[in-house]
Amino acid sequence: MIGGLMAQRVAIAVHGGAGNIRPTDIPPARQQQAEAYLREVVQEGYELLRSGRSALDVVEIAVRRLEDSGLFNAGRGAVRNSQGVVELDASIMDGRTRAVGAVAAVRQVQNPVSLARQVMERTRHVLIVGPAADELARAWALPMRNEVEFSEPATTFWGTVGAVALDAQGNLAAATSTGGLSGKLPGRVGDSPIPGAGTYAENGLVALSATGEGEYFLRSVLVYDIAARLRYQKVPLSQALASAFQERLEPIGGRGGVIAITPTGEVAFYFNTSCLFRAAIDGEGRLTVGTFR
Amino acid sequence: MIGGLMAQRVAIAVHGGAGNIRPTDIPPARQQQAEAYLREVVQEGYELLRSGRSALDVVEIAVRRLEDSGLFNAGRGAVRNSQGVVELDASIMDGRTRAVGAVAAVRQVQNPVSLARQVMERTRHVLIVGPAADELARAWALPMRNEVEFSEPATTFWGTVGAVALDAQGNLAAATSTGGLSGKLPGRVGDSPIPGAGTYAENGLVALSATGEGEYFLRSVLVYDIAARLRYQKVPLSQALASAFQERLEPIGGRGGVIAITPTGEVAFYFNTSCLFRAAIDGEGRLTVGTFR
């Protein structure tokens, strides 16, 4: 580390989805397993940030770990659509430049978030969907899914995964990955791969990742609405989150959760469901892990 | 018409894409043909609105006419991707409910905007992409493209089409349709089908449709940024448009244009390119048709 950087605050928050389950709906061992995994992911991410890794690298690494866990509705653990097929959506956004990479309705790539990053860095495009995106993954030699390895968890929540981070250079980044709604129509795309709906990062302002009923987040342009309240109303983060949910999402019946990090390393969670699988280490180094309120 | 409704203002605006061409780059007959067509579309739409048709119906009808014209980069006139294939994106948004329907990377349906409307009304989803969306169109018996009928115009501009309308009940709606970037990678999706990026409508606030380099509009969440400035900063529409372009789009190098209608029937066009094919009839009944500044 070069002098001075270590004095900068770094922070990370991750989520493993929101849902309307009661504590008795989930076996204690399963909840413990998910929380332990989320804790491990933020601890690993925090150390990488402290060692000088970029927020962009760290959100990709964190989401890849969550995709690989099989514990959430993303990557290995993704739910199936109405035809019994897994279709995955993901995005990543760099707060320095507002560059975005995103993929949707991909079936074959192992880590959609890493394909999204490659779309951002290797093409002039933001969003690539369907079989063409899988073909890019193959052309770029990214690891492909081995279908027999994958198992579908019996989820009663939107187990989308996401990460937001602040690095020692003051850069923000966000990433989100999901298998979408269980039983969705083929080709259906939710909010996770869409900048402004499920993922947003802008240096000096905020990094956000959402989980929930994607259609309502799309119709509300929810995470950019939070960012816009911060920029144009200059309200505190907690108020921007609460107002966006109450004034934009809830009037049309939407449910879910959002994680947020500010340029000073403040971390916030907001959800109008009973639970949000979550973990964070904020700018003061404080660890939080939780599922229910 | 039921008493009183006729006294309500109605308004419509349409665009046929923005670009950086000089007046001498386009044959006068072609410009005249495009302008005459846009005029016809707004006059037809205005009469429908005056007769009580909903803004939602009228933006769909207007965009379908533009898709069918073969004059713009949408529907019949769409450009080809890097593999020589036409892939189309479209969306429609109802300002009453913020309901949205959208499709992307479809190849076979004749009128993507009408498929988008059906997605909104017949599924629980917002956005459906790729071959699955074409299959829905076939299942719903929508007219399919006859490939030999289609011709690609030699465009040097983003000839995306769009419409925004205010109806006699005070409802706003917006729709956008495009063939995307010429030579784009297969599966590439731009801003047109994405609520908040290329299309947005919210009663009491504004209806917006964009055209331009889609990636920059996605990264800027541009049209929702305009809406957010109106709601949170309470600035005039002209200022919201100019500030969104100058503070969000231009710093990252984006170019294009936006059309807007307010709840009082005010119409605005904004573009940072040399031209925007456009026509409108505002709440006072004033017709505007233009291409260059």
Side-chain angles (χ1 to χ4, degrees), chain B residues 21 30 34 53 63 98 101 107-108 131 150 164 184 196 205 228-229 242 251-252 258 261 284:
Chain B
I21 55 176
R30 176 64 190 266
R53 282 295 278 276
V63 168
R98 286 194 271 122
R107 296 180 171 195
Q108 299 175 338
F150 292 81
V164 290
K184 66 187 176 183
L205 192 67
R229 287 172 192 268
I252 57 170
V258 168
I261 276 186
E284 311 274 3

Side-chain angles (χ1 to χ4, degrees), chain A residues 15-27:
Chain A
H15 69 80
N20 268 327
I21 54 176
R22 291 163 304 179
T24 51
D25 289 338
I26 182 170

Side-chain angles (χ1 to χ4, degrees), chain A residues 196-235:
Chain A
T199 304
Y200 190 74
E202 183 177 329
N203 272 14
L205 192 67
V206 71
L208 300 154
S209 171
T211 166
E213 297 172 284
E215 279 71 9
Y216 298 94
F217 284 71
L218 282 166
R219 290 167 58 193
S220 301
V221 199
L222 194 86
V223 298
Y224 189 69
D225 181 71
I226 296 165
R229 287 171 192 269
L230 294 174
R231 188 190 300 109
Y232 302 133
Q233 296 190 307
K234 303 194 189 308
V235 294

Side-chain angles (χ1 to χ4, degrees), chain A residues 97-98 219 224-225 232, chain B residues 97-98 219 224-225 229 232:
Chain A
T97 55
R98 288 192 269 122
R219 290 167 58 193
Y224 189 69
D225 181 71
Y232 302 133
Chain B
T97 55
R98 286 194 271 122
R219 292 167 57 193
Y224 188 69
D225 181 72
R229 287 172 192 268
Y232 302 133

Side-chain angles (χ1 to χ4, degrees), chain B residues 13-69:
Chain B
V14 303
H15 68 80
N20 268 328
I21 55 176
R22 291 164 303 180
T24 50
D25 290 338
I26 182 169
R30 176 64 190 266
Q31 182 181 338
Q32 207 180 338
Q33 187 188 18
E35 289 185 2
Y37 200 92
L38 293 168
R39 179 188 296 113
E40 207 178 285
V41 169
V42 293
Q43 284 171 334
E44 182 186 296
Y46 188 75
E47 288 314 312
L48 289 170
L49 290 164
R50 295 237 308 166
S51 77
R53 282 295 278 276
S54 71
L56 191 65
D57 280 353
V58 169
V59 295
E60 182 192 350
I61 290 166
V63 168
R64 204 162 56 207
R65 292 263 276 133
L66 297 168
E67 287 173 342
D68 288 342
S69 70

